[in-house]
């Protein structure tokens, strides 16, 4: 009997240790594409906040913006049995079934740049879609008092938030600057520098009165800027949009990039971990509460959205400081 009692005690200790280890939140964040400065900064934020909170977290960045690669990455995380899955979607519709599968398995799901996703616990944004798009449209308007034509880039035609920004910008331009005509509708190239550059070269050649690029997607302004620089159109064609300051600072100072707005992707990475840990521990998101990285929140419970205003302006005065912070 003593031997059995000792065995049971040892077993209880083992189970207790295992339970203690399992109490640590585990999560994976699947982003649009790996290896670009924007998501490198987000990964830094994820790692930093995970270390602070004692969370096990990893970022998965697919080799291309193919939605199928995001689906596979989420399937892998479901198989691992993580507590939380975060996602920055390339295609909301493509992800809905696999995110439902994750939630059915008891996994909490958080999205960023995914305001239309249904199968999430919460989506968070550091800027409103309308405000972000309109801010860039106003910048384009200020840069082109003489009128002309402009082109719009998005990461792809299925990236939800990029297209929401484009919708807001185009609507503002139609209402306030009908003398500036959009070329085509929009071009889904802004997650790839080379595609953004080659598309810009074609548009410049075909439209002698082209005056601007609104590029929503961190590689779009860089690629379009290179094309403007190659064609010696600096000061004639104005390029603006969100981009990593460290990647674009030389173009800002040379005048190739007119500027833009962004939020801190490292801050977004931190928020993923903060919210994930809260949800994994059963904490509720309530109106008026203060969440690190977001500030005081007023969540839209019906639509599962937490939207805050954390915009940063990128211009010649701010770009060096932002870049020196690792952005």
């Amino acid at each position: 009997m003593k031997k059995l009692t000792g065995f049971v005690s040892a077993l209880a200790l083992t189970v207790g240790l295992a339970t203690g280890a399992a109490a640590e939140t585990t999560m994976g964040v699947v982003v649009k594409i790996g290896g670009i400065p924007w998501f490198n900064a987000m990964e830094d934020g994820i790692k930093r906040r995970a270390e602070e909170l004692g969370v096990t977290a990893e970022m998965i960045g697919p080799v291309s913006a193919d939605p199928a690669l995001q689906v596979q990455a989420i399937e892998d995380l479901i198989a691992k049995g993580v507590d939380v899955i975060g996602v920055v979607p390339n295609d909301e519709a493509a992800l809905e079934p696999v995110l439902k599968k994750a939630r059915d398995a008891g996994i909490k799901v958080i999205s960023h740049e995914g305001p239309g996703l249904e199968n999430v616990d919460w989506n968070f944004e550091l800027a409103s879609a309308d405000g972000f798009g309109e801010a860039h449209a106003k910048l384009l308007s200020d840069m082109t008092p003489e009128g002309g034509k402009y082109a719009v880039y998005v990461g792809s035609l299925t990236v939800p938030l990029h297209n929401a920004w484009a919708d807001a910008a185009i609507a503002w331009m139609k209402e306030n600057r009908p003398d500036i005509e959009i070329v085509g509708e929009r071009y889904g190239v802004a997650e790839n520098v080379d595609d953004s550059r080659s598309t810009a070269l074609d548009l410049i050649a075909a439209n002698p009165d082209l005056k601007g690029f609104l590029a929503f997607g961190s590689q779009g302004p860089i690629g379009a800027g290179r094309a403007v620089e190659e064609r010696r159109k600096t000061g004639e064609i104005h390029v603006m949009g969100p981009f990593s300051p460290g990647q674009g600072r030389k173009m800002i100072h040379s005048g190739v990039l007119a500027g833009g707005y962004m939020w801190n992707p490292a801050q977004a990475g931190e928020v993923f971990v903060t919210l994930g840990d809260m949800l994994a521990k059963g904490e509720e998101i309530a109106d008026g509460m203060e969440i690190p990285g977001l500030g005081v929140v007023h969540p839209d419970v019906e639509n599962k959205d937490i939207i805050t205003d954390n915009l940063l302006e990128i211009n010649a005065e701010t770009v060096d400081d932002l870049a020196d912070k690792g952005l």
Side-chain angles (χ1 to χ4, degrees):
M1 181 63 72
K2 288 182 179 180
K3 289 183 178 179
L4 181 58
T5 301
F7 172 75
V8 172
S9 299
L11 180 61
L13 177 61
T14 301
V15 171
L17 289 172
T19 302
E24 179 180 282
T25 300
T26 59
M27 69 181 300
V29 179
V30 180
V31 300
K32 294 176 185 174
I33 188 169
I36 65 174
W38 186 272
F39 290 116
N40 291 343
M42 184 175 288
E43 185 172 26
D44 288 342
I46 290 169
K47 290 179 178 179
R48 180 167 54 249
R49 188 62 173 154
E51 184 175 354
E52 291 173 355
L53 295 179
V55 169
T56 298
E58 63 175 328
M59 190 187 87
I60 300 96
V63 295
S64 77
D66 182 354
L69 296 179
Q70 287 195 310
V71 171
Q72 184 57 57
I74 293 169
E75 289 278 12
D76 293 343
L77 290 170
I78 294 171
K80 286 183 179 180
V82 297
D83 298 312
V84 183
I85 291 175
V87 64
V88 186
N90 281 314
D91 185 332
E92 287 184 342
L95 294 182
E96 291 287 13
V98 73
L99 294 180
K100 182 179 187 303
K101 181 178 178 180
R103 297 188 77 207
D104 288 345
I107 298 171
K108 301 295 184 182
V109 176
I110 301 168
S111 62
H112 174 53
E113 299 186 33
L117 281 169
E118 293 292 330
N119 287 290
V120 298
D121 290 274
W122 286 103
N123 172 74
F124 74 91
E125 308 296 347
L126 300 180
S128 71
D130 286 350
F132 195 77
E134 290 174 4
H136 284 91
K138 292 172 184 175
L139 181 58
L140 173 63
S141 177
D142 290 343
M143 299 298 294
T144 53
E146 73 283 4
K149 293 180 179 178
Y150 74 104
V152 175
Y153 282 2
V154 290
S156 81
L157 300 182
T158 60
V159 173
L161 199 55
H162 289 192
N163 285 279
W165 296 336
D167 290 342
I170 293 167
W172 191 94
M173 293 296 289
K174 283 181 178 177
E175 181 176 351
N176 296 280
R177 292 299 305 274
D179 58 317
I180 307 177
E181 178 187 352
I182 188 170
V183 175
E185 177 56 26
R186 63 195 69 178
Y187 301 87
V189 295
E191 295 293 2
N192 185 288
V193 170
D194 293 334
D195 291 346
S196 295
R197 171 186 165 274
S198 61
T199 300
L201 289 172
D202 291 342
L203 289 170
I204 292 169
N207 299 276
D209 53 350
L210 188 68
K211 296 298 180 181
F213 286 91
L214 283 178
F216 297 117
S218 67
Q219 301 305 292
I222 306 300
R226 289 179 182 176
V228 168
E229 198 168 33
E230 287 177 36
R231 291 293 177 262
R232 295 182 172 85
K233 296 289 185 178
T234 300
E236 297 178 39
I237 299 177
H238 309 287
V239 182
M240 58 217 69
F243 57 90
S244 295
Q247 190 179 20
R249 73 159 95 185
K250 289 182 180 179
M251 288 182 169
I252 281 279
H253 288 308
S254 69
V256 173
L257 294 182
Y261 298 87
M262 63 173 289
W263 59 86
N264 185 337
Q267 183 179 348
E270 293 174 1
V271 172
F272 263 125
V273 177
T274 299
L275 286 178
D277 195 42
M278 291 174 66
L279 295 181
K281 291 176 177 175
E283 296 182 43
E284 298 289 335
I285 308 298
D287 185 66
M289 75 186 304
E290 186 166 355
I291 299 175
L294 291 174
V296 177
V297 301
H298 303 285
D300 179 346
V301 177
E302 182 179 355
N303 294 308
K304 306 175 185 177
D305 282 328
I306 304 171
I307 299 174
T308 64
D309 182 12
N310 284 279
L311 275 186
L312 304 172
E313 186 170 359
I314 316 171
N315 56 38
E317 286 71 43
T318 65
V319 70
D320 289 327
D321 182 56
L322 292 170
D324 290 343
K325 290 178 180 177
L327 300 179

